[in-house]
Amino acid sequence: MFSGKFYFGLILFLMVIMNSRLQPQTIIPNPVEMLKSGGGNVAINSSIKIQFDKELSKSAQFLSDYLTQVYNLNLNKTTRCTSDKAIGIRLKINKKGKKEAYKLIVNKSGVLIEGTETGVFYGVQSLIQLLPSESGARLLQVPYVTVNDYPRFQYRGMMLDVSRHFFDVSFIKKTLDYMAYHKLNYFQWHLCDDQGWRLEIKSYPKLTQIGAWRDGTIIGLYPGIGNDRLHYGGYYTQEQIKEIVEYASDRYITVIPEIEMPGHCLAAISSYPYLGCTGSNYQVSQIWGYSKDVLCVGNDSVFKFLKKVIDEVTDIFPSKYIHIGGDECPVDHWKQCSKCQARMKEKHITTERGLQTYLTHEMENYLKKKGRQIIAWDETLDDDSTTTAYIMSWRGDGKPGAINGTRTNHHVIMSPSYGFYLDYPQHAKEDSLVADWGGVTSVKKVYHVEPVFDKIDPKKAKYVIGAQANIWTEYMSNPRKIEYMIFPRLSAMSEVVWSPKEKRNWENFKQRMKDQYKRYTLWGAYYNPADINAE
Ligand code: TNX
């Protein structure tokens, strides 16, 4: 019926279409839809202006700073968004559609990014990944494309522990940039633990005079082969915290402070010994793991302390979410402590674990009155399902915590230690010192974490609001080590939380990673250069 010519033409046509869809995409996390249109390029050079609607000044600023820092290219900016023929980079607000959605079109008129305020910011992130990944590139060609994109999950988090090791303001900012490049939007800041208290609290100055410092650190893997006996520490002033919160907000990242309680509090207890049950002989911890010295739940002064700390924390952190920790709290001292035992009698609490539940409720109510929502580690649900806490599920593969949480209508953030703990080794042949408590967490393993796994009742899937990668820093004492541990795994994680489930494809990801390795270098970031398939 049809001639050979027709079939030939049809096949050719299909090949062109297929090819336009199968072009290696270089954007990470993989967008919802990306189509190459026509095979042309537009060159970004100094004659081009960034035109933006006034609500989009943060995105315009981010883009122009990036072009200056990475390519030494300075573009003029204007809030007059024209639709004339001149080539331009146009950022346009469009409030319709999904909250974080954007559309990016590159064609002969230049670049158009249109979307919600946050969406346009993510469009800018995609655009910068279409620029050359070679450092020193002179010609900034961007291929003609159309990208339609929005995130799968509303909560896309990363946690950084600054207690075990301290990182200065400039590195925190760098970390926030890495998050932004990956379209992550919640930065959980683990500000205190047994090994150091890191934020200035004006009503309790000893927290940073004493609690921010330790007189040594174990050498080698826990329990260590000695102690370096070096005075070590540091903290952030409230002014610095405000600066970081603002820097994050310019990148559409919310900073969630984590104030651990009632366990992992030895740095606070060493500063104010009345906070503990035994009252004396405390020191800021020099070893890893966790301590039996926890907050005394029988002492009213402890609650006065916690509430005053929270008052200052909520003054400097506008985040709706406040993380109150709640993991790994041994009850040994509560069993012996007369005040804790009296509190149990007074409140008709039958087990020591109930004391932690009591404390959680006190603090969640206090925060609720301030309009804040608590997040807590999954232990919080073990003895009590009445809490309104959002549950961060970390133990094991995170599944028991998530099943338990969603079943009882709790919002859940998946943060499985087997999968999203970036302090675990990336491959078996790891030669640097890394945590040995969780086994190998390869890039591939990270990539295959599924936050809404099959045991979650589909009717309850909406309670899984997202996921988070955690960077515990027992074995990361400098920024280079953090970069080595998080890259490329953070890139893999970003696809889990951003890309549609059906678009997640390991082989395709590995192809796109080839460009991403160069981009790490472009960003000045170190990374683990091992074969991405290493397990
Ligand atoms: C468990 S995760 C902890 C941290 C450690 C981490 C090391 C969690 C809530 N507690 O205190 O740093 O393991 O991987």
Side-chain angles (χ1 to χ4, degrees), residues 164 193 264 327-328 377 394 421 423-424 437 472 474:
R164 277 55 178 272
D193 212 303
H264 286 276
D327 60 313
E328 298 178 328
W377 299 110
W394 74 277
Y421 271 31
D423 55 329
Y424 293 179
W437 30 54
W472 300 103
E474 287 92 338

Side-chain angles (χ1 to χ4, degrees), residues 159 161 164 190 193-195 258 260 264 288-290 323 325-328 377-379 392 394-395 415 417 421 423-424 435 437-438 470-475:
M159 186 218 77
D161 164 16
R164 277 55 178 272
H190 189 81
D193 212 303
D194 297 326
Q195 294 81 2
E258 181 188 357
E260 274 266 27
H264 286 276
W288 313 133
Y290 54 91
H323 202 304
D327 60 313
E328 298 178 328
W377 299 110
D378 63 75
E379 281 93 332
M392 198 165 265
W394 74 277
R395 284 177 294 176
S415 187
S417 53
Y421 271 31
D423 55 329
Y424 293 179
W437 30 54
N470 291 343
I471 308 167
W472 300 103
T473 58
E474 287 92 338
Y475 302 109

Side-chain angles (χ1 to χ4, degrees), residues 322-347:
I322 305 287
H323 202 304
I324 64 161
D327 60 313
E328 298 178 328
C329 181
V331 299
D332 307 47
H333 289 326
W334 293 348
K335 285 191 173 153
Q336 314 297 329
C337 169
S338 58
K339 286 186 187 140
C340 286
Q341 292 300 316
R343 177 80 77 206
M344 285 172 67
K345 276 215 184 76
E346 177 206 356
K347 301 287 176 191

